[in-house]
Amino acid sequence: MDDSQMLSSKVSTPLARALSTSSSSLAPIKNVTIIGAGLMGAGIAQVSANAKLNVVLVDMNDKVLEKSRASIDASLARVAKKKFPDSAEAIRTVVLSQTSHHNNRTQTTEFAQKSFVADTMKHLKVSTNTSEAVSQADLVIEAIVENIDVKRKLFAEVEKAAKSSAILTTNTSSLRLSDIGLKLKNKSQFGGLHFFNPVPMMKLLEVVRHDETSEETYKSLMEYGKSIGKATVTCKDTPGFIVNRLLIPYMYEALRMADRGDASCKDIDTAMKLGAGYPMGPFELCDYVGLDTTLFIGQGWAKNFPNEPLFKPSPTLEKLVKEGKLGKKTGEGFYKYK
């Protein structure tokens, strides 16, 4: 080997190692903290714990956390019954887990179901101390009320308490990431993870990146989504992302049709189900989502984009919300529920 080859070898080896290191797989997300123990937060905690990630679910109220733990336990029990419907699958699970053999096949099925629930629940902890809960997190997911001031205040506390490598995310369905993270010091490690309710059943996860989200952060969020069994799609920081950006204007246009007397709510729902193949019509969907939630999203968009006719407010929707008719959760919206 001549001098030039030796020099090339000495230079290329460290360079090759550096390139190899930079292109290697990202540090895996192992510890996840979810802030907000409502239906959405509990669902995110469930799927994350089921993927054997270490999860801390945070809320200000112990009673809320107790209720969330109970709902997660019950949800897992339902999943377990579907996962182990017969003794054959249960026996395979028992053997793989190297547990003792059960002669009674019914007991074996029950054992497999209980083991599945217990194995998931052992990955879940709860806390009322936000700063402590995020201190060791690789990923923090905010799933609290859709109030930008409350979210900004929370992220200021989280960024201060979390380790420098932690990725911070919001589960917002209507607010822009750039507005939520306006005061963050490290915006490159901030992104969006928009889940859909009920989280354990809905396969989709929208991974949202704003202008300053780094490529490494984005890739880590995509990997996290895949690790919890979600089908991930990518979207820029646009109002409503993909699903809600198309869904909310569709619901508002249905409202305008009904207001004009073009067709009844029932006939519009029937037409969209049988003619477009939708699982439910726009008014059924609005009742399911919640009329207050639909109104809140629409009002926010109308305020930020006053010249966009698709976001024009609906007097009918506003009237129903004022009357407390919020959909299925209150027993009445566009339809009545027993």
Side-chain angles (χ1 to χ4, degrees):
M1 181 183 294
D2 59 29
D3 291 344
S4 63
Q5 288 176 317
M6 290 179 66
L7 180 60
S8 174
S9 175
K10 289 178 181 179
V11 172
S12 63
T13 300
L15 179 60
R17 287 174 181 166
L19 289 173
S20 175
T21 301
S22 63
S23 62
S24 63
S25 60
L26 300 164
I29 290 173
K30 296 180 179 179
N31 303 312
V32 181
T33 296
I34 297 123
I35 304 174
L39 286 174
M40 187 65 75
I44 298 170
Q46 178 180 324
V47 296
S48 297
N50 192 40
K52 302 190 185 305
L53 301 176
N54 302 314
V55 178
V56 181
L57 181 60
V58 182
D59 206 281
M60 296 172 62
N61 193 312
D62 281 318
K63 289 185 178 180
V64 172
L65 289 170
E66 289 173 13
K67 183 178 179 181
S68 293
R69 279 187 65 92
S71 69
I72 291 171
D73 192 277
S75 177
L76 286 169
R78 291 191 294 271
V79 173
K81 287 182 179 180
K82 292 181 180 179
K83 188 176 179 68
F84 307 109
D86 54 51
S87 54
E89 177 64 17
I91 290 172
R92 188 182 74 84
T93 303
V94 170
V95 171
L96 287 175
S97 63
Q98 298 181 344
T99 57
S100 59
H101 180 69
H102 289 246
N103 294 323
N104 188 304
R105 297 175 76 86
T106 300
Q107 289 181 350
T108 302
T109 300
E110 292 177 353
F111 178 82
Q113 292 173 354
K114 290 179 180 179
S115 295
F116 171 81
V117 175
D119 187 50
T120 301
M121 291 300 289
K122 74 181 182 182
H123 290 282
L124 174 65
K125 295 181 181 179
V126 296
S127 175
T128 56
N129 189 324
T130 301
S131 295
E132 184 179 287
V134 303
S135 62
Q136 298 302 313
D138 302 312
L139 172 65
V140 178
I141 304 173
E142 168 269 308
I144 63 172
V145 63
E146 287 283 79
N147 182 304
I148 195 162
D149 292 326
V150 175
K151 288 181 186 290
R152 283 176 178 173
K153 183 178 179 181
L154 173 65
F155 275 112
E157 179 184 353
V158 169
E159 187 175 43
K160 185 177 180 180
K163 57 187 182 182
S164 60
S165 60
I167 296 175
L168 310 185
T169 64
T170 176
N171 179 57
T172 183
S173 60
S174 61
L175 302 174
R176 295 190 63 169
L177 270 63
S178 56
D179 293 331
I180 295 173
L182 183 65
K183 297 181 180 180
L184 284 175
K185 295 178 181 177
N186 187 0
K187 295 180 176 63
S188 67
Q189 288 172 214
F190 178 60
L193 290 173
H194 184 216
F195 290 83
F196 294 82
N197 218 2
V199 178
M201 294 177 61
M202 300 295 280
K203 292 289 293 182
L204 183 66
L205 174 62
E206 290 179 328
V207 177
V208 187
R209 57 192 305 180
H210 62 98
D211 291 342
E212 296 182 60
T213 303
S214 71
E215 185 68 14
E216 184 176 2
T217 295
Y218 163 70
K219 288 181 178 178
S220 292
L221 294 179
M222 292 292 284
E223 285 300 316
Y224 163 74
K226 293 173 184 176
S227 75
I228 60 173
K230 297 300 181 186
T232 56
V233 294
T234 305
C235 186
K236 291 183 178 180
D237 188 17
T238 187
F241 314 130
I242 299 174
V243 174
N244 283 345
R245 180 63 178 81
L246 296 173
L247 205 57
I248 299 299
Y250 155 71
M251 293 161 75
Y252 270 72
E253 184 58 27
L255 278 162
R256 285 188 280 271
M257 283 191 72
D259 286 342
R260 290 193 301 265
D262 295 343
S264 68
C265 295
K266 184 177 180 180
D267 283 351
I268 292 171
D269 279 348
T270 299
M272 294 310 295
K273 287 188 290 184
L274 302 183
Y278 287 18
M280 62 178 73
F283 296 99
E284 291 173 316
L285 180 61
C286 196
D287 276 356
Y288 179 80
V289 171
L291 274 65
D292 53 337
T293 301
T294 305
L295 177 63
F296 177 84
I297 294 172
Q299 287 178 331
W301 292 359
K303 180 180 178 181
N304 293 327
F305 303 93
N307 297 321
E308 175 53 72
L310 290 174
F311 303 156
K312 185 179 178 181
S314 165
T316 299
L317 187 60
E318 292 175 353
K319 179 177 179 292
L320 288 170
V321 171
K322 285 181 180 179
E323 293 173 353
K325 298 174 182 178
L326 309 182
K328 293 192 74 172
K329 59 186 174 184
T330 59
E332 184 176 357
F334 290 102
Y335 300 100
K336 291 184 178 181
Y337 303 89
K338 294 182 180 180

